[in-house]
Amino acid sequence: MCSSLWLGTLLQSRWRNKKCHWPSLIAAWLRSSPDCLGEGLSLLPTPHTFTPSSFLRPGQLSNVDLNEDISELETELPRPYPNEIPHNEKLLSLKYESLDYDNSENQLFLEEERRINHAAFRTVEIKRWVICAMIGILTGLVACFIDIVVENLAGLKYRVVKDNIDKFTEKGGLSFSLLLWATLNAGVVMVGSVIVAFIEPVAAGSGIPQIKCYLNGVKIPHVVRLKTLVIKVCGVILSVVGGLAVGKEGPMIHSGAVIAAGISQGRSTSLKRDFKIFEYFRRDTEKRDFVSAGAAAGVSAAFGAPVGGVLFSLEEGASFWNQFLTWRIFFASMISTFTLNSVLSVYHGNAWDLSSPGLINFGRFDSEKMGYTIQEIPIFIFMGVVGGILGALFNALNYWLTMFRIRYIHRPCLQVIEAMLVAAVTAAVGFVMIYCSRDCQPIQGSSVAYPLQLFCADGEYNSMATAFFNTPEKSVVNLFHDPPGSYNPMTLGMFTLMYFFLACWTYGLTVSAGVFIPSLLIGAAWGRLFGISLSYLTKGSIWADPGKYALMGAAAQLGGIVRMTLSLTVIMMEATGNVTYGFPIMLVLMTAKIVGDYFVEGLYDMHIQLQSVPFLHWEAPVTSHSLTAREVMSTPVTCLRRIERVGTVVDILSDTSSNHNGFPVVESNPNTTQVGLGLSAYPMLLLKDFRDAYPRFPPIQSIHVSQDERECMIDLSEFMNPSPYTVPQEASLPRVFKLFRALGLRHLVVVNNHNEVVGMVTRKDLARYRLGKEGLEELSLAQT
Amino acid sequence: MCSSLWLGTLLQSRWRNKKCHWPSLIAAWLRSSPDCLGEGLSLLPTPHTFTPSSFLRPGQLSNVDLNEDISELETELPRPYPNEIPHNEKLLSLKYESLDYDNSENQLFLEEERRINHAAFRTVEIKRWVICAMIGILTGLVACFIDIVVENLAGLKYRVVKDNIDKFTEKGGLSFSLLLWATLNAGVVMVGSVIVAFIEPVAAGSGIPQIKCYLNGVKIPHVVRLKTLVIKVCGVILSVVGGLAVGKEGPMIHSGAVIAAGISQGRSTSLKRDFKIFEYFRRDTEKRDFVSAGAAAGVSAAFGAPVGGVLFSLEEGASFWNQFLTWRIFFASMISTFTLNSVLSVYHGNAWDLSSPGLINFGRFDSEKMGYTIQEIPIFIFMGVVGGILGALFNALNYWLTMFRIRYIHRPCLQVIEAMLVAAVTAAVGFVMIYCSRDCQPIQGSSVAYPLQLFCADGEYNSMATAFFNTPEKSVVNLFHDPPGSYNPMTLGMFTLMYFFLACWTYGLTVSAGVFIPSLLIGAAWGRLFGISLSYLTKGSIWADPGKYALMGAAAQLGGIVRMTLSLTVIMMEATGNVTYGFPIMLVLMTAKIVGDYFVEGLYDMHIQLQSVPFLHWEAPVTSHSLTAREVMSTPVTCLRRIERVGTVVDILSDTSSNHNGFPVVESNPNTTQVGLGLSAYPMLLLKDFRDAYPRFPPIQSIHVSQDERECMIDLSEFMNPSPYTVPQEASLPRVFKLFRALGLRHLVVVNNHNEVVGMVTRKDLARYRLGKEGLEELSLAQT
């Protein structure tokens, strides 16, 4: 316990007397110090007298080269995914750092803010809007690029395979076709997997769990780098072209986020270019706001759902609802879908008709043609139950698979081989199913892009082949809108079954790919099957349009897997373009979520937990009122004195066994029993120097401090936040949680009745408590 | 300054020793005590020794009858609107109390929460969903009721007038028709105005400013009472039937909010019925959540815009975004629009087609028929500028009018007379314009409900008459969808001009009525006029469909008047049922807001400011970093000791000159220099007793305290919150504001470096600072 203190937050700083220049030291705050030094403070010698002559000179940057250190650091940073997933879901990893959504009000920050007048704030505001517009445009363009490239490459592949099949159908030897198809797929997927596994593993998967974590306030290394974006875009193109059971929509969210993070900082560290613009935004608070906008723009481009995008960002990221921020996010979303719409309309030759608001469009569900009646609502709810159960099954299977992967497939080359295997198997399964299928449909009047005749009569095509020869997006729309009778129930059943397992196997591979579209496709298939059965049972009543049930099935399956609620309803509503469908979709999603939650968590949450990320949910567990801050906090905590010896500070900061990066700064002057806290979330000794380095500060170990410098005294009062948030130790966990979550804090100081620092609450202390099946449970902490 | 303290929050309480029963006294916390007693503490005698024998006995309810007191109180409460609007907008009124969104964690609260186990929390959660469903259903039914009654009564009135006009057109003497029309209107409006002016003045207007205030955390007396709902519903029916330039949509938001407040509390004080259910929800936090849901359900029913409703509630009310809450709000909205849709579909005879999602439906804007092209976007932006200017003009005129009303028309009978005058003038203007108009249109193929032939040839009808003979909702839809050529430019111009001034005069009358529809109508009229001119100028190009411009004009005008952003865009998007129109609508609304804000505030904000409500915006003024908590706080603050004499407490509480209801509870024990704060937002000495009385607690003055009782000692430590939020006095205003706003606080204690209470920050202290044209300005405080 640190007695009689003076609290402040140490974030951005400079010298009191300008006599002792010390940026390199404070830079070290980043790498942090021991959490539990115990009575470390008492080991320190009594404060030296204040001797200005022993201070460093300003402007003397010691022997630290920022750029060099950064590049060094970059390669040293741990690769978080998927190599190092711990083997136990009841763990919280200590390796993740937090973002700080609270501005540290130290003297430098306040001086800067006070210098800015009203007009300058308006300029900043205008810049924010410009950035959002740019985010929207670029995200839209990236989506267009992906769409066009995928369409052309996939078309090319299908034409080659189709010609080959057509050739060999007549003269026998279709196994050559199978071989060709499997090889083509495996080859393409290999390239996609290699770039992900060897260059940027964080680009694997849909990126939604990673973005959820980032918006929640957890720093995931590399997640918003330009390199990640490039790998992601190439990876997703190759995965889709490779015929895997994946979609290109999920990755758009990640792409939008990276674009936003890049633009808002006005530079790219990967390209080593600094445009010297938008420097005001180089802090966690601002960056996170823009990343929200980017994620929203991504959703908007993927589904043509600008409102859904905004709600997605808010649902995943917002801690404090801000009208202006939301409005900017909406602006970015709108621009994004508009850009995509314009470019794709021009590309498809019918300029200005603006008929492609998203990468996937569900087509119009007109109330007149495909309305639903109130009696159908119980049926929809039943479909929600089915979706919930199937979704839980999907997640459970994927959980086991992921555990298997963690244990046995953690080397990149193995991962690539697995991806190739899946691609080949997908092709083989597709081929066998097409081969075995005897479901022929008349070619006339259908809108199939690559009709495959195979063994069908002339003028007919193999219906199973459409499902595998289209991109999954097209298949979904076909299932929604093809007239009744287009599909054989047997075909649909087999397809559902196969695709379910393929999609489940595919999610978690080391490729960039989303799970939205496969889920929709599985759901649409069994939904349509359900509709056909219903129509059969009711002797073809007019209201049993199978397309409607395909939609509900798609919603149920997707809801059962990802368990998103509000945003998913709005996304589905916007994608169908029909407000009256909102009500049944909401009911279906709600049912699927409730049923699914009964068995197992949502897919994204599951993967977040498997990575042991200290993720903060919306509220503290309901039964946690019996816990107080005293029981929750980390203790003892290392305190610094307001006037401290440089050597002491270096020693504390260099100790790498720390769990957090904040240090209370205390003062024990009997006359002024000041209370305060010094934190060093990120150190900005010289404001400009360190804003340039944001967010990759050099570590303390890279800085040489001479013995003379170690004997210098430093006054920390200008570096720290003099008014940090504190809670009394009697406060209950929900109260602490609310304060922490609502303000997006990184550190929260716990004080006792004497106003002495007794502990510190950080993200992991709060994320540790979880509501399990048997009530409150506590996760253990691990350094993995 | 209160030295060496012990802080806690005094909200719900009971006796320490069960020896002294004291509910009546603590009840008195409600009526609060002097803010600035200065060194009041030092005037108190030294604490008595703790003598249990002198404590009151438990169960002894003194001589206080809660019900009696409540009814007494009700009539004594000031009527806030519109009688007492202060004459200066640079004032903040002290008469408004705040809601407290922060649970006071005193011992009783914690004990209750800890008693509740996991299963019980699930029951509470289910109850919340049930309540939201009920809110949705009831709001939908109320909307149906209003719609059906208005349709029938208005139809009846128009038939009578039309028959009369038809009769007198031939034989002359149309002045009788005018008289009949004016008298009918004035009579109906008189009834509507009388019930509002004499029974429940808070039901006047659209209710949106009041709900905005409520959701912001300001208690507006009577605003969520059942009586208000009844008057509101009857009033709005009568206003619309009386032919005023008003809509029935805005009041739906208020109605939904009242329904929500009523249902969630499980009782009605107006009806003196307590159903003894939902008692858990009888606190500000929960009630406000439900009121948000009710407001959203109201929007949803009014415009068929469930997502827009959710966003409206969030935009106006949310301080802390909570996923579960939002999801419940969305559920209520969906149920509301679905109920309305089902009932109206049945009523209109085409059951199950679900074609009436809202009170107003803009009709379908198909991309194929009425698409827009990218070249039109600058034109739309120009329309936004026009809308902004016209909106600002509307608001400025209405501001002067409101000031005039405040000065000269504050007696209810004058208000009724003014309303009647406006009704008569509206009828007369309509009549004259119909009379003078020579704009005849063929009756065939048009969808006019009451075609008035007047002086037109047989088979034709007077086009101006449609505008006045339809409900404004119908007129708006006609302007959107009538084929080109249906309107004469002159007619439209005259109509716009007249309706603009009539609507402006009408808003602020003592009748229940909304400004949404009149704004839309004005905008649609000039928008269509604009479209016609454009079509004329471009020689009838295919893309110049006037309906499209009517829509944009409507958006521009509404945006220019109310200045809502995100929610309005989504409402308009959902009402048009076309996602691609979202982008231009957003641009138009944004332009209108920017241009309008340059001149004058939005209409709702203007009226809120005219009532001097301490309204908290989203962020502290950007240039306020130079202010600290020390400069902002109220000081000196009255402190209580932890063990205090009953008489002292009574005296402090009885002093009515107070500005706030919270009192730090301090303890000066040299051994345990505990810091804490005792607040009494609302007093719940005996939890159940006082939860029953929520939110109308009896005043301290109504409680008899004997001299013996006054000498009792009371230990306040169980009544207070032992872990209140505090800020150091050095914290900047934005920091204090963020904490206060994000957590929805009512009181925030300011402490110095010695951890002594130096002041208290309440809502008015923060609302006082505003960004004016010349930078930061400070409003003065007044008791009015």
Coordinates of all heavy atoms in Angstrom, one line a residue, chain A residues 26 95 100 127 129 134 154-155 205 227 229 243 256 260 284 300 377 485 531 607 641 662 696 757 769 771:
Chain A
I26 N 11.2 8.2 -20.7 CA 9.8 8.2 -20.6 C 9.2 7.3 -21.7 O 8.2 6.7 -21.5 CB 9.2 9.6 -20.6 CG1 9.7 10.4 -19.4 CG2 7.7 9.5 -20.5 CD1 9.3 9.8 -18.1
K95 N -1.1 -11.2 -22.5 CA -0.2 -10.6 -23.5 C -0.9 -9.4 -24.2 O -0.2 -8.7 -24.9 CB 0.3 -11.6 -24.4 CG -0.8 -12.0 -25.4 CD -0.3 -13.1 -26.4 CE -1.5 -13.5 -27.3 NZ -1.3 -14.7 -28.0
D100 N -6.5 3.1 -24.7 CA -7.0 4.0 -23.7 C -7.9 5.0 -24.4 O -7.5 5.8 -25.2 CB -5.8 4.7 -23.1 CG -6.2 5.3 -21.7 OD1 -7.5 5.4 -21.5 OD2 -5.4 5.5 -20.9
K127 N -11.8 18.2 -41.0 CA -10.9 17.1 -41.3 C -11.5 15.7 -41.0 O -11.4 14.8 -41.8 CB -9.6 17.3 -40.5 CG -8.6 18.2 -41.1 CD -7.3 18.2 -40.3 CE -6.4 19.3 -40.7 NZ -5.4 19.5 -39.6
W129 N -14.6 14.9 -41.1 CA -15.6 14.6 -42.2 C -14.9 14.2 -43.5 O -15.3 13.2 -44.1 CB -16.5 15.8 -42.4 CG -17.5 15.9 -41.4 CD1 -17.5 16.7 -40.3 CD2 -18.8 15.2 -41.3 NE1 -18.6 16.5 -39.5 CE2 -19.4 15.6 -40.1 CE3 -19.4 14.3 -42.1 CZ2 -20.7 15.2 -39.7 CZ3 -20.7 13.8 -41.7 CH2 -21.3 14.3 -40.5
M134 N -13.3 9.9 -47.3 CA -12.2 9.1 -47.9 C -12.3 7.6 -47.5 O -12.1 6.7 -48.4 CB -10.8 9.7 -47.5 CG -10.5 11.0 -48.2 SD -9.1 11.8 -47.4 CE -7.8 10.7 -47.8
A154 N -13.3 -16.3 -61.2 CA -14.2 -17.4 -61.0 C -14.8 -17.8 -62.3 O -14.9 -19.0 -62.6 CB -15.2 -17.1 -59.9
G155 N -15.2 -16.8 -63.1 CA -15.8 -17.1 -64.4 C -14.9 -17.9 -65.3 O -15.2 -18.9 -65.9
G205 N -9.1 -15.8 -41.6 CA -10.5 -15.7 -41.1 C -11.2 -14.5 -41.6 O -10.7 -13.8 -42.5
K227 N -0.2 -3.8 -44.6 CA 0.2 -5.2 -45.1 C -0.9 -6.2 -44.9 O -1.3 -7.0 -45.7 CB 1.4 -5.6 -44.3 CG 2.2 -6.8 -44.9 CD 3.5 -7.1 -44.2 CE 3.3 -7.7 -42.8 NZ 4.6 -8.1 -42.2
L229 N -4.0 -5.5 -44.8 CA -5.1 -5.2 -45.8 C -4.8 -5.9 -47.1 O -5.6 -6.5 -47.7 CB -5.2 -3.7 -46.0 CG -6.2 -3.2 -47.1 CD1 -7.6 -3.6 -46.8 CD2 -6.1 -1.7 -47.3
G243 N -12.9 -21.8 -54.7 CA -14.0 -22.6 -54.6 C -14.3 -23.1 -53.1 O -15.1 -24.0 -52.9
G256 N -12.2 -2.4 -44.3 CA -12.7 -1.1 -44.0 C -12.0 -0.5 -42.8 O -11.5 0.7 -42.8
A260 N -9.5 2.7 -42.6 CA -9.8 3.8 -41.8 C -8.6 4.2 -40.9 O -8.2 5.3 -40.7 CB -11.0 3.5 -40.9
D284 N -5.3 7.0 -29.4 CA -6.2 5.9 -29.4 C -7.7 6.3 -29.6 O -8.4 5.7 -30.3 CB -6.1 5.1 -28.0 CG -4.9 4.2 -28.0 OD1 -4.3 4.1 -29.0 OD2 -4.7 3.7 -26.9
S300 N -21.4 -1.8 -44.8 CA -22.2 -1.2 -45.8 C -21.9 -1.6 -47.2 O -22.8 -1.9 -48.0 CB -22.0 0.3 -45.6 OG -22.7 1.1 -46.6
I377 N -46.2 -16.8 -38.7 CA -45.2 -16.4 -37.8 C -44.8 -17.6 -36.8 O -43.6 -17.8 -36.6 CB -45.7 -15.2 -37.0 CG1 -45.5 -14.0 -38.0 CG2 -44.9 -14.9 -35.7 CD1 -45.9 -12.7 -37.4
G485 N -40.4 -25.1 -57.6 CA -40.2 -26.2 -58.5 C -38.8 -26.2 -59.2 O -38.5 -27.1 -59.9
G531 N -39.6 -25.1 -47.0 CA -40.8 -24.5 -47.7 C -41.4 -25.4 -48.7 O -42.6 -25.5 -48.8
H607 N -14.3 -17.8 -30.7 CA -13.0 -17.7 -31.1 C -12.2 -16.6 -30.3 O -11.0 -16.8 -30.1 CB -12.9 -17.4 -32.6 CG -13.0 -18.6 -33.5 ND1 -11.9 -19.3 -34.0 CD2 -14.1 -19.4 -33.8 CE1 -12.3 -20.4 -34.7 NE2 -13.6 -20.5 -34.6
R641 N 7.2 8.2 -6.7 CA 7.0 9.5 -6.0 C 7.1 10.6 -7.1 O 7.6 10.4 -8.2 CB 8.1 9.7 -5.0 CG 7.9 8.8 -3.8 CD 9.1 8.7 -3.0 NE 10.2 8.2 -3.8 CZ 11.4 8.0 -3.3 NH1 11.7 8.2 -2.0 NH2 12.3 7.5 -4.1
G662 N 0.6 1.3 -15.9 CA 0.2 2.5 -15.2 C 0.8 2.5 -13.8 O 0.9 1.5 -13.2
R696 N 3.8 2.9 -32.1 CA 4.9 2.0 -31.9 C 6.0 2.7 -31.2 O 6.9 3.2 -31.9 CB 5.3 1.4 -33.2 CG 4.1 0.7 -34.0 CD 4.6 0.2 -35.3 NE 3.4 0.2 -36.2 CZ 3.5 -0.1 -37.5 NH1 4.6 -0.4 -38.0 NH2 2.4 -0.1 -38.2
V757 N -3.6 4.8 -2.3 CA -3.8 3.8 -3.4 C -3.6 2.4 -2.8 O -2.6 2.2 -2.1 CB -2.7 4.1 -4.4 CG1 -2.7 3.0 -5.5 CG2 -2.9 5.4 -5.1
Y769 N -14.3 -12.0 -14.7 CA -15.5 -12.6 -14.1 C -16.5 -12.8 -15.2 O -16.8 -11.9 -16.0 CB -16.0 -11.6 -13.0 CG -15.0 -11.5 -11.9 CD1 -14.1 -10.5 -11.9 CD2 -15.1 -12.5 -10.9 CE1 -13.2 -10.5 -10.8 CE2 -14.1 -12.4 -9.9 CZ -13.2 -11.4 -9.8 OH -12.3 -11.4 -8.8
L771 N -20.3 -15.0 -16.3 CA -21.5 -15.7 -15.9 C -21.5 -17.0 -16.6 O -21.7 -17.1 -17.8 CB -22.7 -14.9 -16.2 CG -23.9 -15.1 -15.3 CD1 -23.5 -14.8 -13.9 CD2 -25.1 -14.3 -15.8

